Amino acid sequence: MSENVILTEEQQQALRELIRGKNVFLTGKAGTGKSTVLMAFRKQTARSVVFLAPTGMAARQINGETCHRFFSLKPLAVLSPELLEPLDDQKRKVLQRVETIVIDEVSMLRSDCLAAIDKRLRDAAGINSPFGGKQMVFCGDFCQLLPVVKPLPDFDLPAWLARQFGGCLAFQTQLWQNAKIRTIVLHQVMRQKDNWLLNRLNDIRYGIPSESEKWLCEANRVFCKEAPEGESIIELCTRNADAEWLNRQALKKLSGEVIHSRAVISGDFPWQSYPTDKDLKLKAGLRVMLLRNQNRTEDPYVNGDLGVILRIDTLSQDQPRVTVRLDRGPVITVEGVEWEHWGYSVAHDDDGRERLTLKKDGSFTQLPLKAAYAISIHKSQGMTFNQLKLRLGSGCFASGQLYTALSRCRTAAGIFLVTPITAGDTICIPEVIEAYRGWDFSLKLWWEILTRHLDRLPDELVGTPSVIDLGWQEASEIPVLACLQQAYREFCCRCPQESDGEAAICSTPETVWALSIYYELTKLQRTQLWHAALCWLINKVRLIKYRTQFCAA
């Protein structure tokens, strides 16, 4: 994190909780600055801390290590705590000395892996309490990408995880409950300022498009458009194979000789953590993405910068020197850089006391480049783009894929859909929505107030089949809308206010359209949305009155 980053008030509050040494789950929507808080914690804490993540790419984003590597967990299909092999003395000392363990992208951490981590820490500390009494900091968003859990031959893994741990997700385990983890929800989105896009992202986050054909029509009308001619815009794909094929095809179409840049690898650097291709194939005219920050006075660039190769100078046997024109204007020179793979060890200070230290296990030296015509949605997590194409192909197949993809872009105008969104693309897990309803104070308060106000509505109104039967009355004359307005006013009086004066509301399936009524109808006077939203709400009121659960489709 750069020195000039200023934390928002809610980020500062989250940082203070981390520094206090409590077990914390730091969460929030895409773009709320969760990683920014972690980097501030790294700089300010005086504790012995390790930074981990479930995947090599996620670990590299925070200059950390994978959970499997740090805890000496074999890459088995199933991680059963009783099958773990004993730790060696060096690793045991490391686990004993560490005070705080930070796990980023916890949404991708499977429940059996969390249980194995707990077993390792209890054994090392000799303390039979959650995680051996260590401070645990989990960070991530369970509405984004989740762990891959597929049935194995002759073994139903999802069913086994449900029986053993309560589910495949970390927060579903009894261990998570026993650790008394405090959940901190960040609300202020830093990446997008486009209110229309933010509202649609909230809808997708909680699966609302699967219930509304009109929502899908409006979203596809905005997103399904031709990309500007002459502009090369990165494509996000649901499958990695599709992204690799697009990149290979783009390379073939370019004239000229292929220049190879070969990585120099020393020590122990796991192949799963390679930041780019070991054998990088380049041509003049190739669109590329920069994979590192370079803050030098001449030729500065940042991770995620996009550009085009102008020239390749083969000055060395391994990596050439590459001249790149960035899309934002500057022409830069890119040379090989070193990525380091770090491990943790125990050393003794001058007084003979043991302390936790980082040790360099290996290095990977290569040009910080990769072809930038396409990238998988999974690999785009944590990135931000001004423009992107979204290629859904045969459709999304994992929870959070659509939300993760669209939330990479700063504005709705910068999103270009290659294929339309369908209801089946908005995959959402009801248990996750229910969990967020319980984690967020403002969300719980809004639900309690809204339900109480809706309880006062007469049953004959609840049964109204269509908004057409109500006619085009004034807002104050429509009981449902009047009820909503009263609930919202009470909420604003009781809920902490954000800096912009609006109450902090995390959207849920039952409130997104309700709030759309209040804002879109009374402020923007969009009668078509009035019609659709009020009809939707009336149907939902019927469900609320009979206490029917409707977290998501």
Side-chain angles (χ1 to χ4, degrees):
M1 185 181 70
S2 60
E3 296 291 338
N4 59 355
V5 171
I6 300 175
L7 298 182
T8 65
E9 177 57 34
E10 66 174 3
Q11 287 174 334
Q12 292 177 24
Q13 292 176 1
L15 177 60
R16 286 193 286 270
E17 287 300 309
L18 267 60
I19 292 176
R20 284 178 58 197
K22 302 295 184 181
N23 290 342
V24 169
F25 170 41
L26 179 63
T27 188
K29 301 172 187 175
T32 50
K34 299 181 288 293
S35 295
T36 301
V37 176
L38 292 188
M39 294 305 100
F41 178 59
R42 184 197 291 269
K43 298 181 67 157
Q44 296 188 30
T45 185
R47 300 168 66 89
S48 295
V49 184
V50 295
F51 286 78
L52 310 174
T55 68
M57 177 168 287
R60 193 170 65 250
Q61 293 279 0
I62 58 171
N63 295 325
E65 195 171 357
T66 65
C67 295
H68 276 71
R69 184 179 178 85
F70 181 75
F71 289 105
S72 299
L73 305 177
K74 289 186 175 181
L76 303 174
V78 182
L79 280 170
S80 184
E82 61 269 18
L83 298 179
L84 296 179
E85 295 180 353
L87 290 170
D88 60 46
D89 291 341
Q90 178 66 14
K91 180 61 70 173
R92 183 179 296 276
K93 287 183 179 180
V94 169
L95 297 183
Q96 289 171 346
R97 298 305 302 171
V98 67
E99 297 175 287
T100 299
I101 296 166
V102 176
I103 299 181
D104 196 14
E105 302 294 0
V106 69
S107 66
M108 294 190 286
L109 186 73
R110 231 167 55 182
S111 54
D112 57 337
C113 187
L114 184 72
I117 290 171
D118 173 63
K119 181 72 163 59
R120 286 291 198 220
L121 291 171
R122 290 182 194 239
D123 290 348
I127 299 175
N128 190 28
S129 60
F131 304 106
K134 308 293 185 183
Q135 180 195 13
M136 301 297 297
V137 175
F138 300 104
C139 181
D141 178 11
F142 286 97
C143 288
Q144 295 190 52
L145 300 175
L146 302 180
V148 176
V149 181
K150 296 180 180 179
L152 303 172
D154 302 321
F155 183 70
D156 190 345
L157 178 58
W160 185 84
L161 292 174
R163 291 195 304 270
Q164 293 294 317
F165 306 109
C168 68
L169 305 178
F171 76 83
Q172 295 176 311
T173 64
Q174 188 60 46
L175 172 61
W176 185 281
Q177 311 306 321
N178 294 342
K180 298 180 179 178
I181 298 167
R182 178 182 176 184
T183 300
I184 299 176
V185 182
L186 299 181
H187 298 92
Q188 186 175 348
V189 178
M190 317 297 290
R191 180 179 294 144
Q192 291 96 7
K193 303 301 179 185
D194 182 333
N195 288 330
W196 186 92
L197 178 58
L198 283 171
N199 288 335
R200 298 314 172 276
L201 289 175
N202 289 340
D203 294 350
I204 294 169
R205 182 179 174 86
Y206 296 110
I208 286 179
S210 63
E211 299 183 5
S212 171
E213 290 185 9
K214 291 187 176 182
W215 188 101
L216 292 169
C217 290
E218 182 183 6
N220 285 324
R221 177 180 58 80
V222 173
F223 294 138
C224 289
K225 53 186 182 287
E226 292 292 330
E229 291 186 11
E231 293 188 25
S232 296
I233 301 172
I234 193 166
E235 289 195 32
L236 270 58
C237 304
T238 55
R239 290 167 171 79
N240 190 54
D242 294 339
E244 291 179 350
W245 183 85
L246 289 169
N247 285 326
R248 287 196 302 269
Q249 293 303 113
L251 182 67
K252 287 180 181 179
K253 290 179 181 179
L254 294 173
S255 60
E257 179 188 1
V258 174
I259 304 298
H260 294 261
S261 177
R262 295 178 174 84
V264 176
I265 304 169
S266 65
D268 185 7
F269 202 106
W271 67 267
Q272 300 95 330
S273 297
Y274 287 175
T276 188
D277 293 342
K278 182 179 177 181
D279 182 10
L280 194 58
K281 299 176 179 64
L282 306 171
K283 282 185 183 180
L286 186 72
R287 282 195 60 77
V288 291
M289 178 189 296
L290 277 298
L291 304 177
R292 280 281 290 266
N293 294 329
Q294 179 56 266
N295 298 321
R296 62 193 180 198
T297 304
E298 296 181 1
D299 299 334
Y301 53 82
V302 297
N303 188 7
D305 261 339
L306 297 171
V308 177
I309 294 178
L310 299 181
R311 188 174 66 253
I312 304 173
D313 299 319
T314 54
L315 301 178
S316 70
Q317 185 176 359
D318 296 312
Q319 290 112 32
R321 177 185 296 167
V322 178
T323 303
V324 176
R325 182 186 297 279
L326 299 179
D327 289 352
R328 55 186 174 86
V331 175
I332 62 169
T333 300
V334 181
E335 297 178 317
V337 298
E338 182 184 73
W339 282 271
E340 298 170 328
H341 192 271
W342 295 90
Y344 294 90
S345 63
V346 172
H348 293 82
D349 59 22
D350 294 338
D351 296 330
R353 292 176 299 185
E354 291 184 339
R355 58 185 179 85
L356 191 67
T357 62
L358 277 171
K359 63 181 181 69
K360 180 179 174 181
D361 286 342
S363 66
F364 179 99
T365 303
Q366 176 62 290
L367 291 170
L369 299 172
K370 70 179 302 177
Y373 296 89
I375 189 174
S376 71
I377 294 173
H378 276 73
K379 290 185 178 178
S380 75
Q381 191 156 350
M383 296 180 178
T384 301
F385 302 107
N386 291 323
Q387 293 180 309
L388 63 84
K389 293 179 185 178
L390 181 54
R391 182 181 294 269
L392 297 178
S394 57
C396 294
F397 58 87
S399 175
Q401 266 191 319
L402 183 63
Y403 175 72
T404 300
L406 293 177
S407 63
R408 300 308 96 199
C409 197
R410 289 191 168 93
T411 65
I415 297 173
F416 305 91
L417 276 181
V418 178
T419 51
I421 298 171
T422 68
D425 293 321
T426 58
I427 303 170
C428 202
I429 297 179
E431 292 86 351
V432 170
I433 300 172
E434 186 63 26
Y436 273 94
R437 181 185 293 169
W439 286 331
D440 194 321
F441 164 76
S442 61
L443 192 152
K444 287 190 291 186
L445 178 62
W446 170 245
W447 175 248
E448 178 266 319
I449 292 173
L450 179 64
T451 303
R452 176 162 40 80
H453 280 267
L454 290 175
D455 276 341
R456 300 171 184 170
L457 291 176
D459 288 338
E460 57 268 21
L461 173 67
V462 173
T464 303
S466 170
V467 69
I468 297 175
D469 297 336
L470 296 176
W472 296 107
Q473 304 176 56
E474 294 296 324
S476 60
E477 297 176 6
I478 300 176
V480 172
L481 185 56
C483 175
L484 170 70
Q485 290 172 330
Q486 294 169 9
Y488 185 74
R489 292 190 188 105
E490 178 183 343
F491 175 82
C492 289
C493 292
R494 295 176 57 186
C495 185
Q497 303 290 298
E498 292 188 353
S499 58
D500 62 0
E502 296 289 352
I505 299 179
C506 274
S507 303
T508 64
E510 62 272 9
T511 62
V512 171
W513 274 107
L515 291 177
S516 295
I517 294 175
Y518 183 81
Y519 285 109
E520 302 288 348
L521 305 191
T522 62
K523 294 184 178 181
L524 302 181
Q525 296 299 308
R526 295 174 58 183
T527 56
Q528 287 185 346
L529 186 57
W530 267 71
H531 191 120
L534 189 55
C535 186
W536 186 92
L537 180 62
I538 288 172
N539 291 331
K540 289 307 180 189
V541 170
R542 185 186 302 117
L543 295 178
I544 294 173
K545 292 285 285 188
Y546 292 106
R547 292 297 185 270
T548 302
Q549 192 72 21
F550 56 92
C551 290

